């Protein structure tokens, strides 16, 4: 379960970076003339288009990424709740989390 959560977190971070990149491209293209030439990478092929053709496509891609991001966030929250419930049910403690009173005991110092 923990591996699944880490995979979701990694994918969410990747998508957030892609959204930032799309926003940067959108802000750059909005200041240009609609008939100006621009290039877009589609499936590994560089295609020549105009700004008026590319801008709506980039916005659609960003919106699609946003929807996937929200779905992944919802799934991650559900997985974290499931993992927490499982840990509570089986009295599990994860490495690095606060432990019970036994952890406050320290080994005697040797001199």
């Amino acid at each position: 379960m923990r591996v699944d959560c880490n995979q979701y977190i990694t994918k969410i971070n990747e998508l957030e970076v892609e959204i930032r990149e799309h926003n940067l491209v959108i802000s750059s293209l909005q200041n240009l003339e609609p008939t100006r030439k621009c290039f877009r990478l589609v499936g590994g092929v560089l295609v020549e288009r105009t700004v008026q053709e590319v801008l709506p496509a980039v916005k659609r891609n960003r919106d699609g990424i946003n929807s996937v991001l929200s779905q992944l966030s919802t799934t991650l929250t559900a997985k974290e709740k499931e993992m927490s419930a499982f840990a509570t049910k089986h009295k599990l403690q994860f490495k690095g989390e606060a432990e019970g009173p036994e952890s406050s005991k320290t080994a005697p110092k040797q001199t």
Side-chain angles (χ1 to χ4, degrees):
M1 278 190 256
R2 199 161 235 209
V3 172
D4 291 340
C5 288
N6 287 337
Q7 288 175 343
Y8 283 122
I9 290 169
T10 302
K11 191 62 178 175
I12 286 171
N13 288 334
E14 289 174 10
L15 291 177
E16 286 174 345
V17 168
E18 282 198 32
I19 287 173
R20 275 188 242 120
E21 289 175 357
H22 277 71
N23 286 334
L24 180 64
V25 170
I26 289 169
S27 66
S28 297
L29 289 178
Q30 285 177 335
N31 300 329
L32 301 176
E33 299 172 16
T35 58
R36 183 173 174 168
K37 259 197 269 186
C38 71
F39 295 89
R40 180 172 180 226
L41 193 63
V42 179
V45 178
L46 196 60
V47 181
E48 182 180 334
R49 301 274 188 229
T50 62
V51 171
Q52 66 186 8
E53 294 172 335
V54 171
L55 189 58
V58 173
K59 287 181 179 179
R60 274 193 311 274
N61 286 349
R62 181 198 54 193
D63 295 340
I65 293 170
N66 270 329
S67 67
V68 170
L69 183 64
S70 65
Q71 290 173 354
L72 282 176
S73 295
T74 303
T75 305
L76 175 63
T77 304
K79 280 285 189 188
E80 286 174 338
K81 286 180 183 177
E82 179 183 339
M83 185 173 69
S84 177
F86 183 82
T88 303
K89 179 181 177 185
H90 297 285
K91 298 179 184 175
L92 299 176
Q93 293 179 349
F94 297 107
K95 185 177 180 181
E97 291 183 1
E99 296 180 8
E102 294 103 26
S103 67
S104 63
K105 297 178 185 174
T106 57
K109 293 183 180 179
Q110 295 180 3
T111 55

